[in-house]
Amino acid sequence: MIWKTDTHEFSATICQRTGKTCPALARMARAIAKAMTTAQPATSPEFQLEGSSELTHCEHGCTARFDARPALIRVFCGTAPETGSESLDAYADMMFDDQATAMPAQFIDHPPCAMLQAAAFEPSVHAKSELRPAV
């Protein structure tokens, strides 16, 4: 599923447990995106926030791990705690990036049951010109 807000384009996979998109995952990602957008004036482009949260509205009680940066937010549901961030990022690249290369089937032992990626829109040239002081 793909949808857009004023600041981000969201792409989500179907949950492998329910066979549907996960509304709890979407709500969490929108909240993270809003927080990152709000924090942007006070942070640097290198700002990063990582963590995890229980998706209480998920009937299976998923734990969602997230990695949020100003340009890209990724959320992984139902991953094993020992799965490394690099492996999850490579898996997400394969799923969400049309330029990514294929990987062996056992690259990741326990793939996420669902994932979501939110890519921030670049400020438009028009929007940038509006921020310039009048001369």
Side-chain angles (χ1 to χ4, degrees):
M1 180 167 82
I2 298 172
W3 75 98
K4 295 179 182 181
T5 63
D6 290 341
T7 58
H8 289 81
E9 179 178 79
F10 295 81
S11 303
T13 65
I14 300 294
C15 176
Q16 299 302 301
R17 293 179 181 160
T18 66
K20 302 180 220 172
T21 56
C22 179
L25 174 60
R27 280 192 298 275
M28 179 183 176
R30 280 193 302 268
I32 293 170
K34 184 176 180 181
M36 293 299 287
T37 300
T38 302
Q40 196 165 17
T43 60
S44 71
E46 294 81 28
F47 179 69
Q48 179 179 357
L49 182 65
E50 294 178 321
S52 65
S53 179
E54 292 293 320
L55 295 179
T56 56
H57 289 75
C58 174
E59 64 187 57
H60 298 285
C62 270
T63 298
R65 291 172 53 181
F66 62 89
D67 179 2
R69 300 163 196 242
L72 186 68
I73 300 165
R74 286 184 169 163
V75 185
F76 305 94
C77 293
T79 60
E82 64 274 3
T83 304
S85 297
E86 301 82 20
S87 297
L88 290 172
D89 275 337
Y91 189 74
D93 287 343
M94 182 183 70
M95 296 297 287
F96 294 122
D97 184 356
D98 62 354
Q99 302 298 313
T101 58
M103 293 185 292
Q106 295 304 319
F107 173 75
I108 190 166
D109 290 332
H110 297 94
C113 62
M115 299 187 298
L116 185 143
Q117 174 174 287
F121 292 125
E122 290 290 324
S124 69
V125 174
H126 178 66
K128 286 181 183 177
S129 65
E130 292 176 355
L131 298 176
R132 292 186 195 145
V135 181

